[in-house]
Amino acid sequence: MSCVSCIKVLKISKTCHFFNQPLCFRILSNLAATMSFTDLGTVKFLEFQQEKGYFKLVIAVNLAYQTKYLSMNVWKEELLRNTSGQRFQLEDTVRVTYNQDKYIQLVSLEDVLIEFCPTCYCGREQIETLRMDCQGCSELQVDLQRERFNETMVLKSCTPKPYRYSTGYHLELQLSASGDTKTYVAVIFPNNPQVYRRADNFKVGATYTVIAWRNNKLLDVIEIDQI
């Protein structure tokens, strides 16, 4: 059944008392649960979990003014091989197709060349960057656009705290080379495993290069590396 058919069925279910409404909504729910999505992204984590028998895969997807992370467990190793038969490596750029339900299920992973918009940093295939405009920049309303932040900062505190779904590391940072003394705040969650796994070893008082999306004093950290 196509999406258009689903919409027609839904309209009929609302106007006809003979139609089985619970059945209609079950059909729509099942279709949504098996719907496939495709994104362009970068492999940020790929590691075999020996005790559990699957690979843990995390792909960072650059959208307009934000970065989302796709985290999935992969049981079939052949899905993790490129066209040369080699396993994908960290920082490889890929086209990922997946099913979105309660968990993300990998359907396929392909090599692809990606370029990033210099303004909103959304990822696009190389051929699309020949256009004069960026779809990501033009579609997102101005009040949702955020500043790309790339600064040298001093870590003032790093505290693990319980949040709703997991433990997060609450960071407080200050710019190191300016008169700006205000404190910036970031929280590191497991969905960014490259940073999360190192957070326990962050050193208060040390200087770091921080790449993040900034919204006033709040930082959505993408990368953080000690200098």
Side-chain angles (χ1 to χ4, degrees), residues 39-45 57-63 66-72 91-94 96 114 116 123 191-194 222-223:
D39 282 315
L40 302 178
T42 305
V43 177
K44 289 296 182 179
F45 187 83
L57 171 67
V58 177
I59 296 175
V61 178
N62 276 30
L63 304 175
Q66 64 175 306
T67 303
K68 76 173 181 179
Y69 296 91
L70 302 175
S71 179
M72 59 198 87
E91 302 304 320
D92 282 351
T93 52
V94 295
V96 54
I114 302 175
F116 300 97
N191 66 344
N192 187 348
Q194 274 193 322
I222 301 168
E223 301 282 354

PDB file of all heavy atoms in Angstrom, residues 39-45 57-63 66-72 91-94 96 114 116 123 191-194 222-223:
ATOM      1  N   ASP A  39      20.203   8.201   4.509  1.00  0.00           N
ATOM      2  CA  ASP A  39      20.954   9.397   4.885  1.00  0.00           C
ATOM      3  C   ASP A  39      22.388   9.283   4.380  1.00  0.00           C
ATOM      4  O   ASP A  39      22.874   8.175   4.099  1.00  0.00           O
ATOM      5  CB  ASP A  39      20.984   9.576   6.410  1.00  0.00           C
ATOM      6  CG  ASP A  39      19.685  10.138   6.962  1.00  0.00           C
ATOM      7  OD1 ASP A  39      19.167  11.094   6.364  1.00  0.00           O
ATOM      8  OD2 ASP A  39      19.193   9.623   7.981  1.00  0.00           O
ATOM      9  N   LEU A  40      23.043  10.426   4.291  1.00  0.00           N
ATOM     10  CA  LEU A  40      24.477  10.473   4.002  1.00  0.00           C
ATOM     11  C   LEU A  40      25.200  10.798   5.296  1.00  0.00           C
ATOM     12  O   LEU A  40      24.801  11.720   6.009  1.00  0.00           O
ATOM     13  CB  LEU A  40      24.790  11.535   2.951  1.00  0.00           C
ATOM     14  CG  LEU A  40      24.084  11.398   1.600  1.00  0.00           C
ATOM     15  CD1 LEU A  40      24.471  12.566   0.690  1.00  0.00           C
ATOM     16  CD2 LEU A  40      24.443  10.079   0.943  1.00  0.00           C
ATOM     17  N   GLY A  41      26.253  10.058   5.614  1.00  0.00           N
ATOM     18  CA  GLY A  41      26.923  10.307   6.879  1.00  0.00           C
ATOM     19  C   GLY A  41      28.350   9.806   6.906  1.00  0.00           C
ATOM     20  O   GLY A  41      28.899   9.351   5.902  1.00  0.00           O
ATOM     21  N   THR A  42      28.940   9.884   8.102  1.00  0.00           N
ATOM     22  CA  THR A  42      30.339   9.501   8.318  1.00  0.00           C
ATOM     23  C   THR A  42      30.401   8.455   9.423  1.00  0.00           C
ATOM     24  O   THR A  42      29.773   8.620  10.471  1.00  0.00           O
ATOM     25  CB  THR A  42      31.177  10.726   8.736  1.00  0.00           C
ATOM     26  OG1 THR A  42      31.024  11.751   7.747  1.00  0.00           O
ATOM     27  CG2 THR A  42      32.651  10.365   8.858  1.00  0.00           C
ATOM     28  N   VAL A  43      31.153   7.389   9.176  1.00  0.00           N
ATOM     29  CA  VAL A  43      31.308   6.337  10.184  1.00  0.00           C
ATOM     30  C   VAL A  43      32.137   6.884  11.342  1.00  0.00           C
ATOM     31  O   VAL A  43      33.278   7.299  11.167  1.00  0.00           O
ATOM     32  CB  VAL A  43      31.987   5.085   9.593  1.00  0.00           C
ATOM     33  CG1 VAL A  43      32.205   4.030  10.684  1.00  0.00           C
ATOM     34  CG2 VAL A  43      31.147   4.508   8.457  1.00  0.00           C
ATOM     35  N   LYS A  44      31.556   6.897  12.530  1.00  0.00           N
ATOM     36  CA  LYS A  44      32.239   7.424  13.710  1.00  0.00           C
ATOM     37  C   LYS A  44      32.618   6.346  14.715  1.00  0.00           C
ATOM     38  O   LYS A  44      33.482   6.560  15.572  1.00  0.00           O
ATOM     39  CB  LYS A  44      31.352   8.473  14.401  1.00  0.00           C
ATOM     40  CG  LYS A  44      31.222   9.769  13.627  1.00  0.00           C
ATOM     41  CD  LYS A  44      32.573  10.468  13.508  1.00  0.00           C
ATOM     42  CE  LYS A  44      32.477  11.789  12.784  1.00  0.00           C
ATOM     43  NZ  LYS A  44      33.795  12.467  12.700  1.00  0.00           N
ATOM     44  N   PHE A  45      31.964   5.200  14.609  1.00  0.00           N
ATOM     45  CA  PHE A  45      32.263   4.115  15.543  1.00  0.00           C
ATOM     46  C   PHE A  45      31.890   2.801  14.885  1.00  0.00           C
ATOM     47  O   PHE A  45      30.801   2.659  14.332  1.00  0.00           O
ATOM     48  CB  PHE A  45      31.465   4.301  16.849  1.00  0.00           C
ATOM     49  CG  PHE A  45      31.825   3.321  17.930  1.00  0.00           C
ATOM     50  CD1 PHE A  45      32.914   3.532  18.752  1.00  0.00           C
ATOM     51  CD2 PHE A  45      31.056   2.182  18.124  1.00  0.00           C
ATOM     52  CE1 PHE A  45      33.233   2.623  19.761  1.00  0.00           C
ATOM     53  CE2 PHE A  45      31.367   1.271  19.126  1.00  0.00           C
ATOM     54  CZ  PHE A  45      32.468   1.496  19.949  1.00  0.00           C
ATOM     55  N   LEU A  57      27.660   0.001  15.447  1.00  0.00           N
ATOM     56  CA  LEU A  57      27.933   0.972  14.386  1.00  0.00           C
ATOM     57  C   LEU A  57      27.260   2.292  14.719  1.00  0.00           C
ATOM     58  O   LEU A  57      26.076   2.319  15.075  1.00  0.00           O
ATOM     59  CB  LEU A  57      27.403   0.449  13.043  1.00  0.00           C
ATOM     60  CG  LEU A  57      27.417   1.412  11.853  1.00  0.00           C
ATOM     61  CD1 LEU A  57      28.850   1.749  11.439  1.00  0.00           C
ATOM     62  CD2 LEU A  57      26.655   0.807  10.677  1.00  0.00           C
ATOM     63  N   VAL A  58      28.020   3.380  14.625  1.00  0.00           N
ATOM     64  CA  VAL A  58      27.456   4.719  14.808  1.00  0.00           C
ATOM     65  C   VAL A  58      27.857   5.576  13.616  1.00  0.00           C
ATOM     66  O   VAL A  58      29.035   5.645  13.256  1.00  0.00           O
ATOM     67  CB  VAL A  58      27.940   5.380  16.112  1.00  0.00           C
ATOM     68  CG1 VAL A  58      27.375   6.794  16.226  1.00  0.00           C
ATOM     69  CG2 VAL A  58      27.528   4.552  17.325  1.00  0.00           C
ATOM     70  N   ILE A  59      26.860   6.215  13.011  1.00  0.00           N
ATOM     71  CA  ILE A  59      27.092   7.087  11.851  1.00  0.00           C
ATOM     72  C   ILE A  59      26.601   8.481  12.192  1.00  0.00           C
ATOM     73  O   ILE A  59      25.471   8.664  12.663  1.00  0.00           O
ATOM     74  CB  ILE A  59      26.360   6.553  10.611  1.00  0.00           C
ATOM     75  CG1 ILE A  59      26.944   5.190  10.215  1.00  0.00           C
ATOM     76  CG2 ILE A  59      26.457   7.529   9.447  1.00  0.00           C
ATOM     77  CD1 ILE A  59      26.212   4.519   9.089  1.00  0.00           C
ATOM     78  N   ALA A  60      27.463   9.474  11.989  1.00  0.00           N
ATOM     79  CA  ALA A  60      27.086  10.871  12.195  1.00  0.00           C
ATOM     80  C   ALA A  60      26.541  11.430  10.890  1.00  0.00           C
ATOM     81  O   ALA A  60      27.198  11.338   9.845  1.00  0.00           O
ATOM     82  CB  ALA A  60      28.293  11.686  12.653  1.00  0.00           C
ATOM     83  N   VAL A  61      25.347  12.001  10.948  1.00  0.00           N
ATOM     84  CA  VAL A  61      24.694  12.562   9.765  1.00  0.00           C
ATOM     85  C   VAL A  61      24.606  14.075   9.938  1.00  0.00           C
ATOM     86  O   VAL A  61      23.980  14.559  10.887  1.00  0.00           O
ATOM     87  CB  VAL A  61      23.282  11.968   9.577  1.00  0.00           C
ATOM     88  CG1 VAL A  61      22.597  12.605   8.378  1.00  0.00           C
ATOM     89  CG2 VAL A  61      23.363  10.452   9.409  1.00  0.00           C
ATOM     90  N   ASN A  62      25.249  14.811   9.052  1.00  0.00           N
ATOM     91  CA  ASN A  62      25.197  16.267   9.111  1.00  0.00           C
ATOM     92  C   ASN A  62      23.946  16.767   8.416  1.00  0.00           C
ATOM     93  O   ASN A  62      23.799  16.652   7.197  1.00  0.00           O
ATOM     94  CB  ASN A  62      26.434  16.879   8.433  1.00  0.00           C
ATOM     95  CG  ASN A  62      27.620  16.952   9.370  1.00  0.00           C
ATOM     96  OD1 ASN A  62      27.769  16.133  10.257  1.00  0.00           O
ATOM     97  ND2 ASN A  62      28.464  17.947   9.181  1.00  0.00           N
ATOM     98  N   LEU A  63      23.031  17.325   9.218  1.00  0.00           N
ATOM     99  CA  LEU A  63      21.851  17.995   8.693  1.00  0.00           C
ATOM    100  C   LEU A  63      22.095  19.499   8.772  1.00  0.00           C
ATOM    101  O   LEU A  63      23.148  19.945   9.219  1.00  0.00           O
ATOM    102  CB  LEU A  63      20.626  17.600   9.506  1.00  0.00           C
ATOM    103  CG  LEU A  63      20.353  16.092   9.592  1.00  0.00           C
ATOM    104  CD1 LEU A  63      19.192  15.821  10.523  1.00  0.00           C
ATOM    105  CD2 LEU A  63      20.075  15.513   8.214  1.00  0.00           C
ATOM    106  N   GLN A  66      22.825  21.074  12.398  1.00  0.00           N
ATOM    107  CA  GLN A  66      22.806  20.085  13.471  1.00  0.00           C
ATOM    108  C   GLN A  66      23.439  18.783  13.001  1.00  0.00           C
ATOM    109  O   GLN A  66      23.614  18.554  11.805  1.00  0.00           O
ATOM    110  CB  GLN A  66      21.381  19.815  13.948  1.00  0.00           C
ATOM    111  CG  GLN A  66      20.481  19.195  12.892  1.00  0.00           C
ATOM    112  CD  GLN A  66      19.116  18.846  13.437  1.00  0.00           C
ATOM    113  OE1 GLN A  66      18.991  18.142  14.444  1.00  0.00           O
ATOM    114  NE2 GLN A  66      18.066  19.351  12.793  1.00  0.00           N
ATOM    115  N   THR A  67      23.806  17.958  13.976  1.00  0.00           N
ATOM    116  CA  THR A  67      24.362  16.637  13.685  1.00  0.00           C
ATOM    117  C   THR A  67      23.531  15.608  14.429  1.00  0.00           C
ATOM    118  O   THR A  67      23.291  15.739  15.627  1.00  0.00           O
ATOM    119  CB  THR A  67      25.828  16.537  14.148  1.00  0.00           C
ATOM    120  OG1 THR A  67      26.601  17.559  13.517  1.00  0.00           O
ATOM    121  CG2 THR A  67      26.414  15.172  13.781  1.00  0.00           C
ATOM    122  N   LYS A  68      23.058  14.588  13.717  1.00  0.00           N
ATOM    123  CA  LYS A  68      22.337  13.503  14.379  1.00  0.00           C
ATOM    124  C   LYS A  68      23.179  12.229  14.272  1.00  0.00           C
ATOM    125  O   LYS A  68      24.022  12.093  13.380  1.00  0.00           O
ATOM    126  CB  LYS A  68      20.949  13.293  13.794  1.00  0.00           C
ATOM    127  CG  LYS A  68      20.915  12.586  12.439  1.00  0.00           C
ATOM    128  CD  LYS A  68      19.477  12.260  12.024  1.00  0.00           C
ATOM    129  CE  LYS A  68      19.434  11.522  10.689  1.00  0.00           C
ATOM    130  NZ  LYS A  68      18.055  11.175  10.281  1.00  0.00           N
ATOM    131  N   TYR A  69      22.959  11.317  15.203  1.00  0.00           N
ATOM    132  CA  TYR A  69      23.736  10.092  15.260  1.00  0.00           C
ATOM    133  C   TYR A  69      22.814   8.889  15.104  1.00  0.00           C
ATOM    134  O   TYR A  69      21.811   8.766  15.807  1.00  0.00           O
ATOM    135  CB  TYR A  69      24.494  10.004  16.583  1.00  0.00           C
ATOM    136  CG  TYR A  69      25.531  11.094  16.743  1.00  0.00           C
ATOM    137  CD1 TYR A  69      25.199  12.303  17.346  1.00  0.00           C
ATOM    138  CD2 TYR A  69      26.831  10.926  16.269  1.00  0.00           C
ATOM    139  CE1 TYR A  69      26.141  13.319  17.480  1.00  0.00           C
ATOM    140  CE2 TYR A  69      27.772  11.932  16.399  1.00  0.00           C
ATOM    141  CZ  TYR A  69      27.425  13.123  17.007  1.00  0.00           C
ATOM    142  OH  TYR A  69      28.344  14.135  17.131  1.00  0.00           O
ATOM    143  N   LEU A  70      23.172   8.011  14.178  1.00  0.00           N
ATOM    144  CA  LEU A  70      22.453   6.760  13.983  1.00  0.00           C
ATOM    145  C   LEU A  70      23.257   5.654  14.650  1.00  0.00           C
ATOM    146  O   LEU A  70      24.381   5.363  14.237  1.00  0.00           O
ATOM    147  CB  LEU A  70      22.290   6.462  12.488  1.00  0.00           C
ATOM    148  CG  LEU A  70      21.564   7.518  11.656  1.00  0.00           C
ATOM    149  CD1 LEU A  70      21.589   7.122  10.183  1.00  0.00           C
ATOM    150  CD2 LEU A  70      20.135   7.701  12.133  1.00  0.00           C
ATOM    151  N   SER A  71      22.696   5.069  15.685  1.00  0.00           N
ATOM    152  CA  SER A  71      23.377   4.007  16.423  1.00  0.00           C
ATOM    153  C   SER A  71      22.635   2.701  16.210  1.00  0.00           C
ATOM    154  O   SER A  71      21.414   2.638  16.406  1.00  0.00           O
ATOM    155  CB  SER A  71      23.426   4.358  17.916  1.00  0.00           C
ATOM    156  OG  SER A  71      24.060   3.337  18.650  1.00  0.00           O
ATOM    157  N   MET A  72      23.354   1.663  15.786  1.00  0.00           N
ATOM    158  CA  MET A  72      22.682   0.400  15.480  1.00  0.00           C
ATOM    159  C   MET A  72      23.583  -0.797  15.776  1.00  0.00           C
ATOM    160  O   MET A  72      24.817  -0.688  15.767  1.00  0.00           O
ATOM    161  CB  MET A  72      22.223   0.390  14.023  1.00  0.00           C
ATOM    162  CG  MET A  72      23.328   0.558  13.003  1.00  0.00           C
ATOM    163  SD  MET A  72      22.704   1.066  11.376  1.00  0.00           S
ATOM    164  CE  MET A  72      22.664   2.859  11.581  1.00  0.00           C
ATOM    165  N   GLU A  91      35.638   7.364   9.772  1.00  0.00           N
ATOM    166  CA  GLU A  91      35.673   8.553   8.917  1.00  0.00           C
ATOM    167  C   GLU A  91      35.348   8.258   7.458  1.00  0.00           C
ATOM    168  O   GLU A  91      35.387   9.174   6.625  1.00  0.00           O
ATOM    169  CB  GLU A  91      37.016   9.300   9.015  1.00  0.00           C
ATOM    170  CG  GLU A  91      37.365   9.741  10.419  1.00  0.00           C
ATOM    171  CD  GLU A  91      36.293  10.613  11.063  1.00  0.00           C
ATOM    172  OE1 GLU A  91      35.718  11.463  10.362  1.00  0.00           O
ATOM    173  OE2 GLU A  91      36.022  10.429  12.271  1.00  0.00           O
ATOM    174  N   ASP A  92      35.015   7.019   7.103  1.00  0.00           N
ATOM    175  CA  ASP A  92      34.505   6.750   5.756  1.00  0.00           C
ATOM    176  C   ASP A  92      33.147   7.428   5.600  1.00  0.00           C
ATOM    177  O   ASP A  92      32.325   7.417   6.520  1.00  0.00           O
ATOM    178  CB  ASP A  92      34.337   5.248   5.521  1.00  0.00           C
ATOM    179  CG  ASP A  92      35.646   4.531   5.239  1.00  0.00           C
ATOM    180  OD1 ASP A  92      36.670   5.219   5.048  1.00  0.00           O
ATOM    181  OD2 ASP A  92      35.640   3.276   5.207  1.00  0.00           O
ATOM    182  N   THR A  93      32.918   8.008   4.436  1.00  0.00           N
ATOM    183  CA  THR A  93      31.621   8.630   4.162  1.00  0.00           C
ATOM    184  C   THR A  93      30.748   7.629   3.416  1.00  0.00           C
ATOM    185  O   THR A  93      31.199   6.965   2.480  1.00  0.00           O
ATOM    186  CB  THR A  93      31.783   9.918   3.346  1.00  0.00           C
ATOM    187  OG1 THR A  93      32.580   9.664   2.190  1.00  0.00           O
ATOM    188  CG2 THR A  93      32.453  10.993   4.181  1.00  0.00           C
ATOM    189  N   VAL A  94      29.490   7.532   3.834  1.00  0.00           N
ATOM    190  CA  VAL A  94      28.631   6.452   3.359  1.00  0.00           C
ATOM    191  C   VAL A  94      27.209   6.939   3.102  1.00  0.00           C
ATOM    192  O   VAL A  94      26.775   7.967   3.621  1.00  0.00           O
ATOM    193  CB  VAL A  94      28.574   5.302   4.396  1.00  0.00           C
ATOM    194  CG1 VAL A  94      29.929   4.652   4.558  1.00  0.00           C
ATOM    195  CG2 VAL A  94      28.050   5.796   5.747  1.00  0.00           C
ATOM    196  N   VAL A  96      23.679   5.443   3.979  1.00  0.00           N
ATOM    197  CA  VAL A  96      23.128   4.415   4.857  1.00  0.00           C
ATOM    198  C   VAL A  96      21.613   4.339   4.681  1.00  0.00           C
ATOM    199  O   VAL A  96      20.924   5.353   4.703  1.00  0.00           O
ATOM    200  CB  VAL A  96      23.503   4.690   6.337  1.00  0.00           C
ATOM    201  CG1 VAL A  96      23.096   6.094   6.780  1.00  0.00           C
ATOM    202  CG2 VAL A  96      22.860   3.652   7.267  1.00  0.00           C
ATOM    203  N   ILE A 114      30.991  12.780  -0.144  1.00  0.00           N
ATOM    204  CA  ILE A 114      30.127  13.804   0.431  1.00  0.00           C
ATOM    205  C   ILE A 114      30.895  15.110   0.555  1.00  0.00           C
ATOM    206  O   ILE A 114      32.064  15.128   0.930  1.00  0.00           O
ATOM    207  CB  ILE A 114      29.623  13.391   1.839  1.00  0.00           C
ATOM    208  CG1 ILE A 114      28.866  12.068   1.767  1.00  0.00           C
ATOM    209  CG2 ILE A 114      28.722  14.459   2.431  1.00  0.00           C
ATOM    210  CD1 ILE A 114      28.438  11.546   3.122  1.00  0.00           C
ATOM    211  N   PHE A 116      30.335  19.173   2.222  1.00  0.00           N
ATOM    212  CA  PHE A 116      29.546  19.813   3.266  1.00  0.00           C
ATOM    213  C   PHE A 116      29.391  21.303   2.975  1.00  0.00           C
ATOM    214  O   PHE A 116      30.357  21.978   2.605  1.00  0.00           O
ATOM    215  CB  PHE A 116      30.204  19.606   4.629  1.00  0.00           C
ATOM    216  CG  PHE A 116      30.337  18.154   4.996  1.00  0.00           C
ATOM    217  CD1 PHE A 116      31.520  17.467   4.771  1.00  0.00           C
ATOM    218  CD2 PHE A 116      29.257  17.464   5.527  1.00  0.00           C
ATOM    219  CE1 PHE A 116      31.635  16.127   5.088  1.00  0.00           C
ATOM    220  CE2 PHE A 116      29.362  16.123   5.846  1.00  0.00           C
ATOM    221  CZ  PHE A 116      30.560  15.449   5.630  1.00  0.00           C
ATOM    222  N   GLY A 123      25.408  17.580   4.732  1.00  0.00           N
ATOM    223  CA  GLY A 123      26.149  16.775   3.767  1.00  0.00           C
ATOM    224  C   GLY A 123      25.354  16.545   2.501  1.00  0.00           C
ATOM    225  O   GLY A 123      24.163  16.251   2.548  1.00  0.00           O
ATOM    226  N   ASN A 191      25.352   8.634  22.543  1.00  0.00           N
ATOM    227  CA  ASN A 191      25.101   8.635  21.095  1.00  0.00           C
ATOM    228  C   ASN A 191      26.270   9.208  20.305  1.00  0.00           C
ATOM    229  O   ASN A 191      26.330   9.072  19.086  1.00  0.00           O
ATOM    230  CB  ASN A 191      23.808   9.389  20.760  1.00  0.00           C
ATOM    231  CG  ASN A 191      23.891  10.872  21.081  1.00  0.00           C
ATOM    232  OD1 ASN A 191      24.770  11.311  21.818  1.00  0.00           O
ATOM    233  ND2 ASN A 191      22.970  11.639  20.538  1.00  0.00           N
ATOM    234  N   ASN A 192      27.217   9.865  21.005  1.00  0.00           N
ATOM    235  CA  ASN A 192      28.466  10.312  20.378  1.00  0.00           C
ATOM    236  C   ASN A 192      29.600   9.525  21.033  1.00  0.00           C
ATOM    237  O   ASN A 192      30.315  10.037  21.894  1.00  0.00           O
ATOM    238  CB  ASN A 192      28.652  11.813  20.588  1.00  0.00           C
ATOM    239  CG  ASN A 192      29.838  12.379  19.821  1.00  0.00           C
ATOM    240  OD1 ASN A 192      30.661  11.634  19.295  1.00  0.00           O
ATOM    241  ND2 ASN A 192      29.947  13.689  19.764  1.00  0.00           N
ATOM    242  N   PRO A 193      29.777   8.250  20.658  1.00  0.00           N
ATOM    243  CA  PRO A 193      30.668   7.358  21.410  1.00  0.00           C
ATOM    244  C   PRO A 193      32.134   7.752  21.380  1.00  0.00           C
ATOM    245  O   PRO A 193      32.858   7.503  22.342  1.00  0.00           O
ATOM    246  CB  PRO A 193      30.453   5.992  20.739  1.00  0.00           C
ATOM    247  CG  PRO A 193      29.938   6.306  19.378  1.00  0.00           C
ATOM    248  CD  PRO A 193      29.134   7.561  19.528  1.00  0.00           C
ATOM    249  N   GLN A 194      32.600   8.374  20.290  1.00  0.00           N
ATOM    250  CA  GLN A 194      34.006   8.779  20.230  1.00  0.00           C
ATOM    251  C   GLN A 194      34.346   9.747  21.343  1.00  0.00           C
ATOM    252  O   GLN A 194      35.421   9.680  21.940  1.00  0.00           O
ATOM    253  CB  GLN A 194      34.320   9.418  18.872  1.00  0.00           C
ATOM    254  CG  GLN A 194      34.686   8.406  17.791  1.00  0.00           C
ATOM    255  CD  GLN A 194      35.295   9.092  16.586  1.00  0.00           C
ATOM    256  OE1 GLN A 194      34.871  10.175  16.210  1.00  0.00           O
ATOM    257  NE2 GLN A 194      36.274   8.476  15.982  1.00  0.00           N
ATOM    258  N   ILE A 222      30.457  18.202  18.948  1.00  0.00           N
ATOM    259  CA  ILE A 222      30.693  17.216  17.902  1.00  0.00           C
ATOM    260  C   ILE A 222      32.045  16.544  18.136  1.00  0.00           C
ATOM    261  O   ILE A 222      32.149  15.326  18.108  1.00  0.00           O
ATOM    262  CB  ILE A 222      30.680  17.895  16.513  1.00  0.00           C
ATOM    263  CG1 ILE A 222      29.321  18.572  16.278  1.00  0.00           C
ATOM    264  CG2 ILE A 222      30.974  16.881  15.422  1.00  0.00           C
ATOM    265  CD1 ILE A 222      29.307  19.488  15.084  1.00  0.00           C
ATOM    266  N   GLU A 223      33.074  17.345  18.362  1.00  0.00           N
ATOM    267  CA  GLU A 223      34.422  16.833  18.639  1.00  0.00           C
ATOM    268  C   GLU A 223      35.039  17.667  19.756  1.00  0.00           C
ATOM    269  O   GLU A 223      34.797  18.878  19.854  1.00  0.00           O
ATOM    270  CB  GLU A 223      35.323  16.915  17.403  1.00  0.00           C
ATOM    271  CG  GLU A 223      34.819  16.155  16.186  1.00  0.00           C
ATOM    272  CD  GLU A 223      35.058  14.668  16.274  1.00  0.00           C
ATOM    273  OE1 GLU A 223      35.733  14.236  17.244  1.00  0.00           O
ATOM    274  OE2 GLU A 223      34.568  13.939  15.401  1.00  0.00           O
TER     275      GLU A 223
END
